[in-house]
């Protein structure tokens, strides 16, 4: 009789433990599916499943904020140089910034429309004169003349009409950055100060150059860029934001100007295109050579 009672008690305890384990596993399964964002169960028998495009398609950047730059003591700065570079989005290396629906210019314009970004006068990259979002858009849209006809089909007038803005028209951006050596940390840094979309300058249907449409203060842009997901699993890019692209220097660019007393660009004192390319490469090589000297000194 005692053995029978003991066996019944053990079976009851085992049954309760099994039920508790089953409930725990069910809870973990529910939590796991909600974390990843992919669910293979219906919320109810009459409700359809919410589709999720891919196992890894869930947002983690909505509440992201950019990390602060290290504080630099000006007395420890050596080898200070200011550089202007052009980023060409037609270069395959910059494709991540030109994905339709998620382009760099679309991200910027969204920030301007929502008041998260401030545009500055295109003729002055020192961020002194603000321009409104309406002024920005008026520069980016095209105007065309539409003929006006009478009832007999004769043209009697013409009127201006605004075309919708096409983000693919903006294929180049200009950045202004400072390059310096921090003696205290024994490190060379490149910090982007400003960024500007470039617009083509046309004369008699011929493109004669590019000019900034407006300037943006890059540290302010980081608060918008850090929330823009540019992850690409096909290229092993996960949890990558647009801010990461710039801070990790994952873009191709060409130097168009270095700081000088006259403020001239390379194109102003070198007219031949091949010579302009050589001058840009010379400036770039000088920066890299200085970096090698610093690294060699630190390794000794």
């Amino acid at each position: 009789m005692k053995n029978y009672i003991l066996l019944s008690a053990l079976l009851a305890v085992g049954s309760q433990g099994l039920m508790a384990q089953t409930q725990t596993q069910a809870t973990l399964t529910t939590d796991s599916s909600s974390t990843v964002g992919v669910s293979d169960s219906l919320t109810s028998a009459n409700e359809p499943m919410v589709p999720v495009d891919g196992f890894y398609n869930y947002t983690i950047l909505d509440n992201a904020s950019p990390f602060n730059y290290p504080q630099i003591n000006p007395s420890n700065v050596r080898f200070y140089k200011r550089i202007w570079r052009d980023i060409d989005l037609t270069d395959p290396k910059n494709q991540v910034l030109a994905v339709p629906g998620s382009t760099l210019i679309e991200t910027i314009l969204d920030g301007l429309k929502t008041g998260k970004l401030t545009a500055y006068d295109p003729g002055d990259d020192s961020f002194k004169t603000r321009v409104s979002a309406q002024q920005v858009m008026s520069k980016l849209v095209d105007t065309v003349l539409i003929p006006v006809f009478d009832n007999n089909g004769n043209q009697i007038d013409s009127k201006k009409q605004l075309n919708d803005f096409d983000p693919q028209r903006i294929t180049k951006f200009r950045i202004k950055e400072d390059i310096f050596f921090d003696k205290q940390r024994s490190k060379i840094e490149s910090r982007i100060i400003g960024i500007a979309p470039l617009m083509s300058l046309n004369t008699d249907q011929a493109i004669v150059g590019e000019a900034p449409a407006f300037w943006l203060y890059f540290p302010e842009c980081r608060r918008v860029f850090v929330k823009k997901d540019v992850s690409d699993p096909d290229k092993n890019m996960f949890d990558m934001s647009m801010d990461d692209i710039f801070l990790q220097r994952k873009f191709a660019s060409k130097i168009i100007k270095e700081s000088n007393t006259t403020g001239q660009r390379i194109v102003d004192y070198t007219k031949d295109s091949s010579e302009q390319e050589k001058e840009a490469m010379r400036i770039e090589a000088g920066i890299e050579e200085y970096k090698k000297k610093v690294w060699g000194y630190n390794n000794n």
Side-chain angles (χ1 to χ4, degrees):
M1 184 65 178
K2 292 182 179 179
N3 293 336
Y4 176 77
I5 295 175
L6 178 60
L7 179 60
S8 299
L10 290 174
L11 290 175
V13 171
S15 177
Q16 291 177 355
L18 180 60
M19 291 177 60
Q21 182 179 0
T22 303
Q23 291 175 352
T24 302
Q25 290 176 346
T27 302
L28 290 175
T29 301
T30 303
D31 292 343
S32 176
S33 64
S34 62
T35 299
V36 176
V38 179
S39 175
D40 58 358
S41 61
L42 301 178
T43 55
S44 74
N46 298 324
E47 293 184 11
M49 184 184 299
V50 178
V52 179
D53 185 16
F55 179 78
Y56 192 77
N57 188 14
Y58 64 100
T59 303
I60 63 172
L61 298 176
D62 288 344
N63 299 319
S65 58
F67 66 85
N68 295 325
Y69 290 124
Q71 293 294 325
I72 304 298
N73 186 340
S75 61
N76 291 325
V77 172
R78 298 290 184 274
F79 181 71
Y80 174 80
K81 184 182 288 288
R82 175 157 286 179
I83 295 291
W84 287 259
R85 298 177 181 270
D86 280 0
I87 300 175
D88 188 351
L89 299 191
T90 61
D91 188 328
K93 296 179 181 178
N94 298 322
Q95 186 179 11
V96 67
L97 300 174
V99 177
S102 186
T103 63
L104 177 55
I105 187 62
E106 288 174 298
T107 303
I108 288 174
L109 292 180
D110 287 343
L112 289 172
K113 292 175 182 177
T114 57
K116 297 177 181 178
L117 295 180
T118 305
Y120 294 89
D121 185 84
D124 182 9
D125 59 8
S126 59
F127 319 108
K128 293 179 179 178
T129 306
R130 297 185 179 188
V131 294
S132 65
Q134 291 77 11
Q135 291 174 300
V136 167
M137 291 307 301
S138 66
K139 285 190 173 185
L140 294 178
V141 296
D142 286 332
T143 57
V144 293
L145 285 176
I146 304 298
V148 178
F149 300 93
D150 60 16
N151 295 332
N152 297 322
N154 300 315
Q155 181 176 347
I156 58 175
D157 199 358
S158 61
K159 63 179 180 178
K160 288 185 178 181
Q161 177 176 303
L162 294 178
N163 287 336
D164 293 334
F165 170 68
D166 182 6
Q168 295 185 356
R169 288 180 50 234
I170 305 298
T171 60
K172 285 187 178 182
F173 286 81
R174 183 162 295 165
I175 61 174
K176 180 179 74 169
E177 65 179 355
D178 288 341
I179 303 174
F180 59 90
F181 173 60
D182 181 9
K183 183 178 67 174
Q184 184 177 13
R185 296 185 299 138
S186 296
K187 183 177 181 180
I188 294 180
E189 283 200 27
S190 297
R191 291 192 184 180
I192 301 175
I193 307 301
I195 184 170
L198 298 182
M199 296 185 63
S200 298
L201 300 177
N202 301 321
T203 302
D204 296 331
Q205 305 302 320
I207 299 177
V208 296
E210 298 95 12
F214 54 89
W215 277 98
L216 298 164
Y217 185 51
F218 186 78
E220 184 179 58
C221 291
R222 292 188 62 207
R223 296 186 295 185
V224 173
F225 291 173
V226 76
K227 299 179 186 296
K228 191 65 175 179
D229 189 2
V230 295
S231 300
D232 188 350
D234 292 336
K235 297 181 179 179
N236 293 323
M237 291 172 54
F238 299 96
D239 301 342
M240 179 71 69
S241 72
M242 191 171 284
D243 187 49
D244 295 325
I245 296 296
F246 285 101
L247 265 64
Q248 297 179 23
R249 312 291 294 184
K250 294 183 179 296
F251 60 87
S253 63
K254 177 183 176 181
I255 294 177
I256 58 104
K257 178 183 175 181
E258 67 174 335
S259 51
N260 58 79
T261 55
T262 61
Q264 287 185 315
R265 301 168 300 168
I266 293 177
V267 69
D268 295 327
Y269 61 85
T270 307
K271 301 301 180 183
D272 183 71
S273 58
S274 61
E275 292 299 320
Q276 294 170 11
E277 188 74 23
K278 291 180 181 179
E279 179 66 3
M281 295 176 62
R282 182 193 67 80
I283 299 172
E284 195 79 71
I287 297 172
E288 294 301 318
E289 183 63 26
Y290 184 82
K291 290 180 179 179
K292 290 179 181 179
K293 289 181 180 179
V294 171
W295 292 333
Y297 173 78
N298 291 336
N299 291 331
N300 293 332

